[in-house]
Amino acid sequence: MPNRASAPGHCCSTSYAIKLEVSGSGNQVLPSLTSQALRFGQGQWRPRVPPSTTDIVSSNKSVPMTKPEALQLHHLPDDVLHRILSRLTFRESSRMGLLSRKWQKLWRSCCPKLIFTRATMFKPGNETIRRTRTNFARRVNSLLRQLCAPPTLNKFVVKFGLRRKHTCHVNRWVGFCSKLRARHITFDFTPGVKGIFRGLADEKYIFHLHVFSVPDRSPAHIKSLHLSYVWLNTATTGFTGFANLKKLTLHKVSFLNDFQHLMLSECTALEWLSISCSSFTELTLCKPLRRLRYLSLHYCYMEKVELEAPNLTSVDLTNQPIPLALSESLKVMEANIKLLHKSVLYGDNLDYICTELPAALPHVQKLSITSTLCIYDELQSFAKTSVRFINLRHLSLYLPLYGDGRSVGGILRLAYLLELAPVLEELELHFRFSDFVIRQAIRVDMLPYRHDKLKRVVMSGACHWQGLIELAHHIRRCASRLDCMIMDPMVRIKGLPTVDWLEERGRRIAKELLKRQEFQGVLTVL
């Protein structure tokens, strides 16, 4: 009987598959190769086998089939391997460079992201190498010496608690990312948890911006810049500004000269500005920032902010009450304001909230305010203004209360917020506990302000102060179209403790004192 394998014209073709797993790349599909290379199918790379390489069996005699050499990952074209390495993390791509000389050459020539942190420079759990600043600097220098210069460096990050005595190393790294035209640069020298209270301002590294403006280099390639725990020197000769800088983040930065006029005024393309825990008294610019969309200022203890940013949409501020001159910013949609406590007896920030903020942010639609509120009978009146939040629809107030739990007039000042926001739809009031026991609802007779837009009210921690029960009555009388009022006895302010028995007591008080006809179908006690 003739052998089936020797039938005329019968041939056997063998297909191969290479499974490609790239960490951190998700399910992204690599670009297609040339027509004679590989084709993609069902999550695997399958090479097309040319007819010349198949085992053709003649009709007269059978030829034993031989399995060709399996196709390995390094057989792929170099451009595909470059794309694979670019999708790996810095630690993973550097480990790939240890496999062979070819992989080392590929890694050295295509490393678009250089991220030097404690996690990438020291293996977790390895206690044989001390994680000192000197060892960190030596490892970074060793890696940079191995790299070939890529055409463009996308990201350069150094995050370690270095000091001014490491200036020679840091200067070399700054020059490296300037020479390779890095787009996103981060130098974060913030001390760790152990050294946070031992760091001195005199130990900070001095960051000279003129490094980016030497004759053969230009800062025009920089898109984002993040500096932490440094002295910033902007007065050096030759610095021409960052013409294309879009994002600037400064944390614990000290300034040797006029930072805002010498640097910020020249960042005409800036879209994101974040400054925190830095030392300067005011933010005033002589030139407008027409592309600025986000402004964040935290714990800078400024005395004034005067800015012309017509396209500003979001503001995030943590400071004492200060004048805000943002009259040209008519597109602000969201603002998060945290006001630090006043040191004045019987003083709080409610006057500032009701007078200064409406003038500074008249078009804001979503506003969140955190501020202490003092509850005393001495605080029953405050200044009023004709300026309104004309577009405000969502207002959240986080108010740690201090004072007399029996006082009513101090809390009822919050009722003026309904007049300030005529189109308000959602109101959230978050308070803290009080040990005072409320036994009855006084229902102070206040002239109600008719509000036709308010639909939802949430009050947390609100069942422990006499004035808050009265405030709930007043809001219900003012809001003719109120759909829902939620009384939550739990404290929702971050950093304040919760007490179970106080929550249960507040829940019982709310149900007893708010069981009235006007609250039926509207009130929900959690």
Side-chain angles (χ1 to χ4, degrees):
M1 179 179 293
N3 192 346
R4 292 185 179 181
S6 61
H10 180 80
C11 63
C12 177
S13 60
T14 307
S15 60
Y16 309 91
I18 300 177
K19 193 170 185 179
L20 195 58
E21 296 181 357
V22 181
S23 175
S25 63
N27 295 324
Q28 302 180 23
V29 180
L30 296 177
S32 58
L33 305 177
T34 57
S35 58
Q36 295 183 354
L38 305 175
R39 61 186 177 88
F40 183 74
Q42 299 180 355
Q44 294 180 337
W45 291 96
R46 296 181 178 177
R48 293 181 179 175
V49 183
S52 58
T53 60
T54 59
D55 297 324
I56 302 177
V57 183
S58 62
S59 58
N60 297 327
K61 58 180 179 178
S62 62
V63 180
M65 295 181 293
T66 60
K67 186 177 181 180
E69 181 183 359
L71 190 60
Q72 302 293 327
L73 181 62
H74 62 270
H75 292 158
L76 296 173
D78 287 351
D79 58 340
V80 177
L81 297 178
H82 280 116
R83 296 293 297 273
I84 294 174
L85 287 177
S86 65
R87 285 166 165 79
L88 299 178
T89 63
F90 178 75
R91 173 178 285 274
E92 291 169 342
S93 63
S94 59
R95 292 177 64 183
M96 290 288 288
L98 301 177
L99 295 178
S100 64
R101 291 184 178 180
K102 179 177 180 178
W103 281 106
Q104 184 182 27
K105 182 179 178 180
L106 288 171
W107 175 74
R108 292 175 59 187
S109 60
C110 68
C111 198
K113 296 181 294 184
L114 297 178
I115 302 176
F116 304 110
T117 64
R118 182 182 298 270
T120 59
M121 291 293 98
F122 300 102
K123 185 178 180 180
N126 187 1
E127 302 297 337
T128 59
I129 301 178
R130 295 184 60 191
R131 302 180 181 185
T132 62
R133 301 185 181 106
T134 302
N135 285 338
F136 177 84
R138 288 175 178 174
R139 289 190 160 217
V140 173
N141 291 330
S142 176
L143 279 173
L144 293 182
R145 283 193 295 266
Q146 300 178 40
L147 295 176
C148 300
T152 301
L153 188 61
N154 185 44
K155 182 184 292 187
F156 187 89
V157 177
V158 175
K159 189 175 182 180
F160 205 84
L162 302 179
R163 296 294 178 267
R164 188 176 299 182
K165 63 181 180 180
H166 305 100
T167 296
C168 59
H169 302 293
V170 180
N171 285 345
R172 187 180 302 113
W173 305 339
V174 174
F176 179 86
C177 61
S178 175
K179 181 180 179 181
L180 297 186
R181 302 173 62 84
R183 297 176 180 175
H184 306 280
I185 301 175
T186 297
F187 286 97
D188 187 353
F189 303 141
T190 306
V193 177
K194 294 182 179 180
I196 190 65
F197 299 107
R198 293 183 294 177
L200 301 177
D202 294 340
E203 297 180 355
K204 292 181 179 179
Y205 167 77
I206 301 179
F207 199 97
H208 299 280
L209 295 179
H210 74 280
V211 177
F212 297 102
S213 299
V214 294
D216 58 337
R217 304 170 193 174
S218 171
H221 57 276
I222 301 179
K223 302 297 182 182
S224 69
L225 179 63
H226 183 141
L227 300 177
S228 295
Y229 207 77
V230 299
W231 279 94
L232 188 59
N233 186 8
T234 61
T236 50
T237 58
F239 177 66
T240 58
F242 298 99
N244 297 317
L245 184 67
K246 294 185 178 181
K247 184 175 181 179
L248 176 63
T249 304
L250 303 176
H251 177 65
K252 292 186 177 180
V253 174
S254 303
F255 305 97
L256 293 175
N257 35 59
D258 194 351
F259 150 75
Q260 44 195 338
H261 290 95
L262 295 177
M263 178 179 174
L264 273 185
S265 298
E266 303 301 327
C267 300
T268 56
L270 196 63
E271 299 178 0
W272 174 293
L273 176 60
S274 176
I275 306 176
S276 59
C277 304
S278 300
S279 57
F280 67 102
T281 57
E282 62 181 32
L283 179 62
T284 57
L285 298 181
C286 57
K287 295 182 181 179
L289 296 178
R290 301 191 181 279
R291 297 186 182 181
L292 186 65
R293 297 183 179 274
Y294 176 80
L295 175 64
S296 176
L297 303 171
H298 288 283
Y299 297 101
C300 294
Y301 299 96
M302 295 178 296
E303 299 175 358
K304 181 181 180 182
V305 174
E306 185 175 353
L307 196 63
E308 183 179 351
N311 292 309
L312 186 65
T313 59
S314 182
V315 177
D316 198 349
L317 175 67
T318 301
N319 205 85
Q320 292 179 345
I322 56 173
L324 287 175
L326 301 173
S327 58
E328 299 296 331
S329 303
L330 304 180
K331 299 182 180 180
V332 177
M333 305 290 291
E334 183 175 356
N336 183 13
I337 310 295
K338 183 178 181 180
L339 300 175
L340 302 181
H341 182 60
K342 284 184 176 180
S343 59
V344 183
L345 182 63
Y346 299 143
D348 56 24
N349 300 314
L350 192 58
D351 282 347
Y352 179 82
I353 294 173
C354 296
T355 57
E356 298 290 338
L357 286 185
L361 304 168
H363 298 276
V364 66
Q365 296 186 12
K366 186 177 181 180
L367 178 61
S368 176
I369 301 176
T370 302
S371 177
T372 57
L373 186 64
C374 295
I375 308 303
Y376 296 100
D377 290 334
E378 292 81 358
L379 294 173
Q380 295 187 12
S381 61
F382 59 97
K384 295 185 179 181
T385 179
S386 59
V387 185
R388 299 288 186 263
F389 292 111
I390 59 177
N391 292 328
L392 183 60
R393 287 171 170 77
H394 188 113
L395 175 61
S396 299
L397 292 176
Y398 297 85
L399 305 171
L401 303 181
Y402 297 93
D404 186 2
R406 296 167 295 181
S407 176
V408 176
I411 292 182
L412 286 181
R413 296 178 299 160
L414 295 173
Y416 182 58
L417 295 172
L418 299 181
E419 299 184 39
L420 284 178
V423 297
L424 187 66
E425 297 178 358
E426 295 188 23
L427 175 62
E428 295 185 15
L429 300 172
H430 304 280
F431 307 96
R432 73 174 182 89
F433 286 135
S434 170
D435 292 334
F436 176 73
V437 179
I438 306 173
R439 301 190 183 278
Q440 63 179 351
I442 301 176
R443 296 196 65 207
V444 175
D445 293 330
M446 288 181 59
L447 185 63
Y449 170 81
R450 183 176 177 83
H451 201 290
D452 298 331
K453 301 294 183 180
L454 189 61
K455 297 180 179 179
R456 184 174 183 268
V457 176
V458 178
M459 300 175 69
S460 69
C463 307
H464 306 271
W465 296 78
Q466 180 72 60
L468 294 178
I469 298 296
E470 308 306 320
L471 181 62
H473 278 283
H474 181 74
I475 292 176
R476 182 66 189 97
R477 291 195 299 268
C478 294
S480 58
R481 298 185 179 180
L482 187 64
D483 296 332
C484 177
M485 176 178 284
I486 299 176
M487 302 295 288
D488 185 1
M490 181 177 292
V491 174
R492 301 295 181 180
I493 302 178
K494 293 182 179 180
L496 295 181
T498 59
V499 183
D500 294 338
W501 69 270
L502 283 176
E503 292 179 13
E504 185 59 33
R505 188 185 71 179
R507 186 176 294 109
R508 185 182 68 255
I509 291 173
K511 292 180 179 180
E512 292 176 357
L513 300 183
L514 297 178
K515 291 191 304 182
R516 299 184 63 86
Q517 181 67 28
E518 54 189 318
F519 286 98
Q520 290 185 3
V522 175
L523 179 65
T524 300
V525 180
L526 300 181

